[in-house]
Amino acid sequence: MPQPDLPEAAHANLDSMLSRKFGQEVANYFSGSRLNRVSFLRTNHSFLSAALKHPSTAFLLLNNLAPLAKDPTMLEYVSYEDVQPLIGDDPYLKTEEEVIYEYNSTVITPQLLFLGLDEKNRQGLEWSIYQGSPVFALDITPKGSYEAKANSLIQDFEARGRMFIQGRLHTSLPAPEAALYAQARALLDWNARNPYCAACGQPTLSIQAGMKRTCPPTDLSSSNSIGSTVSALPTNRPACITRKGISNLSFPRTDPTVIMAILSSDSRRVLVGRQKRWPKYWYSTLAGFVEPAESVEEAVRREAWEESGVILGRVVIHSTQPWPYPANLMIGAIAQTISGGEKIVLKHDPELEDAKWVDLDEIREALRFSTGGLGEEPMEGYKEGNLRLPPSTTIANQLLAAVTGGFLGGVPTM
């Protein structure tokens, strides 16, 4: 399947001091959303209620994190009328304070997210100075009390010829759709992974249109040796530290990850590595998680040494990429070894099966004719035994294109 175009960078044609000094901004796949998230309106239930039912509102449905689509290259959006049997008339009818006060841990509802406003639609919802078509995401994975309704909805859309895109990665979507899907997937996955409070272990409640989970102080349900009962008045739950001040346990996590194109000290070669499970001849740039109390530059140097043994000098940030599997922010860097620091040693961290230095010309050739995903067949014209690299939808590809295409200050060669 052809690789989709990358998103256009913000203000791509803007001439400024920064663009003249550092070049135009680079936008990677899964970024470039068309939505204004208007995050400050997530606590405003009057706004959310109006957005939910507006005629221009679109809902993206996900079943076990697989998005509803017309085909692998086009998402399918549905209307409020389609999802109303599952979510009810208006889950935002009551204020957030009322919802928390009336919390009942025995009641399970489908996870609903407000993603933002599509401001390109001038016929969308008008709210104060903001205007656009609201976009929501809804997890319709069948479970609990709404399993039958969710299954009915799934079967209805499949009967209409729609599909839920399966697979580990979804990199066949156009860039704007991929960005929207990435936001929905990351947030639904986070909510699903955090049904209990990390501080006290009690069940949590999704608030702020899916962007926060709170540990309510009371519960209409009370448990005993017989089972759970529902009382007319809420009962107090045990104390929890998340109810005092700002708690990072309550908000979606994003895990910073460094990924780097490493140049030799003479700038003529690039270091690439491979894991044992990867296809034959398939290599990529090195990568790893940023640890607590560590700068990005330090993480790049540490991961490079741990995985390959090379010793790095200067590190420069190139671009970043959201990666919703499950919630990473890939921080792309270009780094260079110190003189004499190119020796490869794989005995520190056994993550890599192999690492090697490759001439820039070989990287250029592979970028032209030998890119593709881990589960994909080689490109047409690929010669067996040649180097294979990740597709253009990955930041690894963009970093390699940068070091071979003029990012270092020379004349672009691609």
Side-chain angles (χ1 to χ4, degrees):
M1 184 174 294
Q3 296 174 15
D5 292 334
L6 297 180
E8 182 177 337
H11 310 293
N13 299 316
L14 179 67
D15 179 43
S16 68
M17 177 191 70
L18 290 178
S19 61
R20 288 192 296 271
K21 183 173 179 61
F22 298 106
Q24 297 298 330
E25 185 175 311
V26 176
N28 289 293
Y29 196 71
F30 289 129
S31 68
S33 174
R34 66 178 183 271
L35 302 183
N36 180 346
R37 299 194 184 198
V38 286
S39 60
F40 43 85
L41 291 177
R42 292 173 184 147
T43 58
N44 188 329
H45 278 212
S46 295
F47 163 75
L48 293 173
S49 183
L52 188 77
K53 299 181 180 181
H54 194 269
S56 70
T57 298
F59 293 81
L60 175 62
L61 307 184
L62 291 92
N63 177 20
N64 284 315
L65 301 179
L68 182 67
K70 297 177 181 178
D71 58 56
T73 65
M74 185 178 299
L75 295 177
E76 170 82 334
Y77 298 94
V78 305
S79 68
Y80 167 77
E81 287 72 24
D82 290 315
V83 301
Q84 187 275 334
L86 195 58
I87 66 174
D89 289 337
D90 188 356
Y92 302 118
L93 182 62
K94 297 180 179 180
T95 66
E96 185 175 288
E97 290 75 15
E98 290 173 323
V99 170
I100 294 174
Y101 178 76
E102 298 176 5
Y103 173 65
N104 183 342
S105 59
T106 64
V107 176
I108 301 175
T109 58
Q111 182 64 56
L112 181 63
L113 307 173
F114 171 66
L115 301 181
L117 295 175
D118 184 352
E119 296 178 317
K120 291 185 177 180
N121 186 351
R122 304 311 299 171
Q123 304 302 313
L125 172 69
E126 293 186 41
W127 189 268
S128 182
I129 62 174
Y130 314 104
Q131 183 174 6
S133 296
V135 181
F136 288 82
L138 179 65
D139 185 358
I140 63 169
T141 305
K143 64 179 69 172
S145 58
Y146 60 87
E147 180 177 358
K149 290 182 178 179
N151 277 322
S152 176
L153 193 61
I154 291 170
Q155 293 167 6
D156 179 48
F157 283 111
E158 290 178 340
R160 299 186 208 175
R162 301 305 184 241
M163 60 184 294
F164 289 90
I165 307 177
Q166 303 298 322
R168 177 177 173 269
L169 302 178
H170 299 87
T171 55
S172 58
L173 296 169
E177 300 292 274
L180 196 151
Y181 158 73
Q183 180 187 1
R185 188 196 191 284
L187 288 172
L188 289 179
D189 188 52
W190 172 75
N191 276 280
R193 289 171 184 260
N194 291 273
Y196 299 100
C197 179
C200 68
Q202 299 176 96
T204 55
L205 170 68
S206 174
I207 58 173
Q208 295 187 14
M211 278 296 294
K212 182 179 179 180
R213 297 196 71 86
T214 188
C215 186
T218 59
D219 192 345
L220 285 176
S221 172
S222 58
S223 300
N224 52 44
S225 59
I226 300 176
S228 296
T229 60
V230 178
S231 59
L233 294 175
T235 58
N236 291 326
R237 302 209 299 176
C240 180
I241 60 171
T242 64
R243 299 182 199 131
K244 299 179 180 179
I246 298 176
S247 170
N248 63 358
L249 300 177
S250 304
F251 294 94
R253 64 181 289 169
T254 296
D255 300 320
T257 306
V258 292
I259 181 167
M260 47 279 190
I262 298 173
L263 285 156
S264 58
S265 59
D266 62 6
S267 303
R268 295 179 179 177
R269 297 172 296 160
V270 179
L271 182 69
V272 292
R274 59 170 281 108
Q275 297 181 17
K276 187 175 183 179
R277 63 184 179 87
W278 291 353
K280 203 172 183 181
Y281 311 120
W282 204 94
Y283 283 76
S284 185
T285 55
L286 274 56
F289 287 104
V290 179
E291 295 191 349
E294 183 177 50
S295 72
V296 168
E297 292 83 357
E298 289 172 322
V300 169
R301 295 187 184 97
R302 175 184 55 78
E303 285 287 345
W305 179 81
E306 289 179 354
E307 293 186 3
S308 69
V310 303
I311 302 173
L312 301 185
R314 184 74 167 95
V315 176
V316 176
I317 307 300
H318 173 268
S319 62
T320 59
Q321 179 181 35
W323 192 254
Y325 303 102
N328 300 112
L329 177 64
M330 309 296 291
I331 305 171
I334 293 175
Q336 193 165 24
T337 63
I338 64 172
S339 179
E342 288 95 349
K343 183 179 179 181
I344 294 175
V345 179
L346 299 180
K347 66 180 181 181
H348 304 307
D349 185 340
E351 181 174 343
L352 296 182
E353 178 190 51
D354 185 37
K356 63 181 181 179
W357 290 102
V358 179
D359 290 339
L360 293 182
D361 283 342
E362 187 176 351
I363 296 291
R364 294 186 184 104
E365 184 77 3
L367 288 172
R368 290 190 182 99
F369 303 111
S370 308
T371 64
L374 287 174
E376 299 175 0
E377 293 297 318
M379 297 171 65
E380 185 177 350
Y382 170 74
K383 297 180 181 179
E384 183 71 13
N386 284 0
L387 178 69
R388 296 179 62 188
L389 295 174
S392 61
T393 50
T394 65
I395 193 172
N397 180 292
Q398 299 307 305
L399 293 173
L400 293 171
V403 296
T404 57
F407 182 82
L408 301 177
V411 178
T413 53
M414 287 191 68

